[in-house]
Amino acid sequence: MNVVILTHTCPRFKGDQAAAFMKGLGNSFVGSGMNSWMLTPFDTEFRSDSERKYRLVTYKYIWPESWHRLGYSRTLANDMAVRSSSVLLAPFMIVSAIFNLWRLVKREQIDVINAHWIVPNGFIGAVVSKLTGAKLVPTLPGSDVFLAQKNAVYGW
């Protein structure tokens, strides 16, 4: 089975604490005998990591590279409010993510899209699932469950 994990935050280097559990998730898919990819936005801090068993694919969504500021614990201000720069960058990331996920699903014959976090990845995964026929399995950690319960659009 071919699985892609769609995320906007994952460890960028050995010892990185940004969503450190994502490495375990990707590695567990590989350990279960699945072909596994992780698709995530580009970040200047990505380095090779011998502990990473899945195939990491990053995508760029804006130029210059220093403007890649979404994800990796930089989207929110004090974990309470969305930064204004995030609102401006989000449409570029979403469009690029849709294109790059679609391309990966087609090229690698992906069976399952695991969209980790409902915003924005649940939406991105749903669009690509409809376009390609790949099954969508959203993962709702923490506050995403609250969003899904309180907001009809996210809940859908």
Side-chain angles (χ1 to χ4, degrees):
M1 178 180 293
N2 294 337
V3 178
V4 61
I5 302 167
L6 175 63
T7 184
H8 57 274
T9 303
C10 66
R12 296 158 291 178
F13 48 85
K14 190 173 183 176
D16 188 6
Q17 292 304 304
F21 60 91
M22 293 300 292
K23 184 192 297 184
L25 178 65
N27 286 345
S28 70
F29 284 175
V30 173
S32 296
M34 298 178 208
N35 298 312
S36 183
W37 291 259
M38 189 172 293
L39 181 66
T40 189
F42 168 82
D43 189 85
T44 58
E45 294 188 39
F46 269 106
R47 305 289 179 263
S48 80
D49 181 351
S50 61
E51 295 174 353
R52 192 183 295 138
K53 306 302 180 204
Y54 51 88
R55 287 170 250 179
L56 180 70
V57 179
T58 63
Y59 63 90
K60 294 182 179 182
Y61 57 88
I62 194 93
W63 184 87
E65 289 181 354
S66 62
W67 286 14
H68 285 83
R69 297 181 185 151
L70 295 177
Y72 312 104
S73 302
R74 295 184 304 240
T75 304
L76 299 177
N78 300 320
D79 282 336
M80 298 297 289
V82 177
R83 295 180 192 272
S84 57
S85 62
S86 298
V87 173
L88 296 172
L89 292 170
F92 295 101
M93 188 190 84
I94 290 169
V95 168
S96 182
I98 289 170
F99 173 75
N100 282 280
L101 180 59
W102 173 83
R103 187 171 62 181
L104 182 65
V105 167
K106 296 305 262 181
R107 183 180 69 227
E108 302 297 343
Q109 299 177 346
I110 298 293
D111 302 301
V112 176
I113 300 167
N114 173 218
H116 205 80
W117 286 288
I118 197 90
V119 178
N121 302 313
F123 170 75
I124 294 163
V127 169
V128 175
S129 175
K130 292 290 184 196
L131 292 172
T132 64
K135 301 293 184 212
L136 175 64
V137 178
T139 306
L140 307 178
S143 61
D144 280 15
V145 174
F146 175 78
L147 283 174
Q149 290 174 337
K150 299 295 181 188
N151 185 302
V153 173
Y154 296 150
W156 173 80

